[in-house]
Amino acid sequence: MKILDVIKSRIRNGVNRMAEGVGAFKKDVFELDGVPAFREYYTLFIFAWQAVYKGFYKAWHEVPMKTLNDPKGKKRTMATMNAGKIACSQMARYVWNERCTITASSAAHDPESKEPDPLNEFLQSVLCENHFGTAFGDLLEKSLALGGGALKEWVEIPKDENGNDTGEGKIRISYHMAPQFVPTTWDNSKVKSAIFLSREAKDGYYYTVVEWHKWDGDTYRVTNDLYRMPIKETEEPQNILGWWYPLNEIYPLLSPDTIIEDAKAAYFQYVRPFGANFADDNSPLGMSIFAPAMNTLHSIDIMFDSLQREFVLGKKRIIAPARAMHSAVINNGGTPQKYFDADDEVWEALATDNPEDLKIYDNSVELRVEPHIAGINGELSILCSQIGFDPGTLAFDQQQGMKTATEVISENSKTFGTVQAHENNARDALCGMVDAIFDLAVKYNLTWEGRPVAQLLAGGYSVAVKFDDSIIQDKDAEINKGVMLVGANLMSKKKFMVDTLGYTPEEADAELKKAKEEFQAIDKQISDTEIEIGQLESEIDKTEKDIVIKQEELVIAEAEYERYKTLFF
């Protein structure tokens, strides 16, 4: 068996080497047939934004430093505030937080039922299994920084070692940054087909899976190709594809070609920030929110680095006369070094009688902290206006460092409008993701609590994405405004409940119907009560009349009594 295994291994390696020799070397994905010529865009913009987001952009942060020991100047790394990352993080937190929700309502489910909608339960289980709440927040932040990102859905079917299915599949969601995603076809800025890249370092090689998502009429096709590049042969192998390599050698369970008939939509969604692409008019790719502010970010880092070096270069210095210095050879055969021993309590004899030559001066300088902080805050205000924040949203404090505004923001603010625009783009992607999840569930005959998902989808469904704007807006004021508009007949109750309170249209209809029934019941109760009060009032009136009659009869009886009393007694 051992000899046979060796022979098989040699044959396999020989075939692989032949495949590498025959296949053309691919520097990157843009050399593949069918891939648009976006190399320059990725190199000049996306990779630069990625470097700024990570906090080290070589063109900015590697600066020369000349010293007496190195007059030619060596390189040092500039300190960075990483304001680009902070801005994207803050914007992402405004758009997506733990109180945002995605819900689905099945047309077959009775909204008045106390039982939860099983279709929505299925959706929530998929989102929970894929840690969607946290993962999408991270993806959104990186998408704002790099000009876009992508969600991708597929079905993972458990298999045994022989590749046989062993159970029902699970829907998976993956999250891809801009460098891992390349659009190939699009229509009106909506990406229809794309390539996804995933890399793995293994056994001295970088393996890159190129996953194509494309349409052939109504047929959706996903193909996988594998490329590999030796790690030792290049300084930047992670950006190079290399040579084609047999897929099943490394990923035997990964299908090279998957065909899905009658797909409803693409099984990926491109998430891009709000705003036009001013760098490439013909590209569907988005722009980083700090793309217009690159010079400002550079200025902020220069000032922040200067603030740090203010403490380094402005440290306490004491100037002592050369005559007061000791000389000593630090290393054998080395150059004598002079030093001043301030702790020496022994008298020293100096070859001078001039008192001025014996003075020691404290040459410490005053640190310019406040001017630096003022300059940084000025640039941060400019940054806020460039990325769509109100001035003062980002600020630098000497005690707290970088901080963000926490006050409630009005509807008319610039920040609120910018966040709403980003939410609209995110909503489109999230609704598309839900559609893809349900379509895959039907295509792969998935079930939920023993019921086919296709049965839960019978009759249609609706999706509601609710963002939590209370983090930037006074929710009570928004509700009060809606109540006033409804009271003035300027807005329907249903629109108020959907737009402001976050109901789905079906939930709003059910709630309005329930409220109407409750109002009718209360109105009937009031009417019945009014009738009873009327009856009681009638009885009281009759009783009062009877009392008057009785009182008159009593007066007559008393008069008769007095008359008889006079006659007979």
Side-chain angles (χ1 to χ4, degrees), residues 102-113:
I102 306 173
T103 57
S105 300
S106 171
H109 179 71
D110 184 3
E112 299 181 15
S113 174

Side-chain angles (χ1 to χ4, degrees), residues 60-71:
W60 293 359
H61 299 124
E62 191 173 274
V63 295
M65 181 180 65
K66 295 181 180 181
T67 63
L68 292 176
N69 290 330
D70 190 2

Side-chain angles (χ1 to χ4, degrees), residues 373-387:
I373 294 178
I376 291 174
N377 280 321
E379 291 295 327
L380 286 174
S381 293
I382 297 174
L383 174 65
C384 288
S385 65
Q386 290 173 319
I387 65 177

Side-chain angles (χ1 to χ4, degrees), residues 260-282:
I260 302 176
E261 300 289 348
D262 299 323
K264 303 298 182 184
Y267 298 126
F268 69 89
Q269 299 77 40
Y270 181 51
V271 184
R272 58 173 286 171
F274 168 77
N277 187 329
F278 58 81
D280 188 347
D281 297 335
N282 300 316

Side-chain angles (χ1 to χ4, degrees), residues 211-284:
E211 182 177 330
W212 298 74
H213 286 242
K214 48 192 173 183
W215 289 91
D216 184 8
D218 292 335
T219 301
Y220 193 79
R221 191 167 188 172
V222 180
T223 59
N224 291 292
D225 293 318
L226 182 64
Y227 294 83
R228 80 170 185 175
M229 182 68 189
I231 295 177
K232 62 183 179 181
E233 290 187 8
T234 177
E235 294 180 356
E236 298 181 353
Q238 66 272 21
N239 296 324
I240 297 177
L241 290 183
W243 288 271
W244 179 89
Y245 196 76
L247 180 69
N248 61 350
E249 287 292 325
I250 306 299
Y251 305 104
L253 300 181
L254 185 60
S255 174
D257 193 2
T258 302
I259 296 176
I260 302 176
E261 300 289 348
D262 299 323
K264 303 298 182 184
Y267 298 126
F268 69 89
Q269 299 77 40
Y270 181 51
V271 184
R272 58 173 286 171
F274 168 77
N277 187 329
F278 58 81
D280 188 347
D281 297 335
N282 300 316
S283 172

